[in-house]
Amino acid sequence: MNFERLSISDVILIKPNKIGDDRGYFMETFRQSLFEEQAAKVEFRQDNQSLSADAGTVRGLHFQLEPRAQGKLVRCIAGAIYDVAVDIRVGSPTYGQYVGAELTAQNGHQLWVPAGFAHGFCTLVPATEVSYKVTDYYSAEHDRGLRWDDPAIGIVWPDVARTPVLSKKDTLQPLLADLKESFTYTGPNANS
């Protein structure tokens, strides 16, 4: 596996090695020891999976508050997504900025999104399935969000999101300027 730190270095794009032949392929998608060495020393508590029927479905931007904050290891197992992480750590030099990566079933890439980031994605094709590991259990009490189209963040979503399919919850999320302080930056790679 290749671990690539993005322009916000706490967010890591992981590119597994696919070994293929005429039967198909094999790839290792997670190895605890390597993940701890290259990304973060965390314990995953729950696996989640979603199916989005339509291209242009936007899910997010979501996060959980402390003490139930979640780091997420995201991968697309069918179809394709544009996956984003927004830095919401107050005091961070990249506060309010985002990074994104295309994750597809074909490329097998994964995105490590540590606690302190809002996470979301847009499906690029119909019938897209996303699977992700999280470092804490879901907690409705700590569940929060951020507007997917906040101009202060300026996420450049794919064209397919021009008329997005959104949940009611995601249409009502606050702007970054209205977000209550949730996380504090404590230094480079603090959440890794």
Side-chain angles (χ1 to χ4, degrees):
M1 281 184 242
N2 181 17
F3 289 72
E4 177 185 320
R5 290 193 180 270
L6 300 181
S7 60
I8 300 175
S9 65
D10 291 322
V11 181
I12 301 171
L13 184 64
I14 302 167
K15 299 176 179 178
N17 296 320
K18 276 189 177 182
I19 302 165
D21 59 25
D22 58 348
R23 299 169 298 163
Y25 70 85
F26 170 85
M27 71 178 177
E28 189 174 275
T29 60
F30 181 76
R31 181 187 291 218
Q32 184 75 33
S33 60
L34 188 57
F35 189 83
E36 286 181 3
E37 178 186 304
Q38 298 291 323
K41 290 185 170 135
V42 296
E43 186 175 321
F44 291 107
R45 306 246 184 233
Q46 181 175 313
D47 281 9
N48 300 321
Q49 186 168 327
S50 70
L51 166 68
S52 298
D54 299 317
T57 298
V58 174
R59 294 181 184 259
L61 303 161
H62 302 147
F63 61 95
Q64 283 191 179
L65 297 174
E66 295 288 1
R68 303 303 298 272
Q70 294 177 323
K72 298 177 181 179
L73 181 59
V74 184
R75 72 187 189 111
C76 183
I77 56 175
I81 62 172
Y82 179 65
D83 203 35
V84 299
V86 179
D87 190 348
I88 57 171
R89 301 168 299 168
V90 173
S92 167
T94 55
Y95 178 79
Q97 296 178 26
Y98 78 96
V99 290
E102 190 171 303
L103 310 181
T104 70
Q106 182 79 18
N107 69 22
H109 295 175
Q110 300 175 73
L111 196 65
W112 165 241
V113 180
F117 288 79
H119 169 259
F121 62 84
C122 173
T123 60
L124 303 176
V125 297
T128 290
E129 293 183 60
V130 175
S131 176
Y132 54 101
K133 296 178 170 303
V134 292
T135 59
D136 206 341
Y137 302 110
Y138 172 74
S139 169
E141 178 185 350
H142 298 88
D143 186 35
R144 297 292 185 277
L146 187 60
R147 271 287 287 275
W148 71 279
D149 61 347
D150 185 339
I153 299 167
I155 296 171
V156 180
W157 292 101
D159 287 344
V160 71
R162 284 189 187 177
T163 52
V165 178
L166 295 162
S167 69
K168 183 169 176 90
K169 170 184 160 182
D170 287 341
T171 65
L172 303 173
Q173 300 291 7
L175 298 171
L176 182 66
D178 300 324
L179 193 65
K180 292 183 179 157
E181 189 173 310
S182 304
F183 298 93
T184 303
Y185 178 72
T186 56
N189 304 317
N191 294 326
S192 294

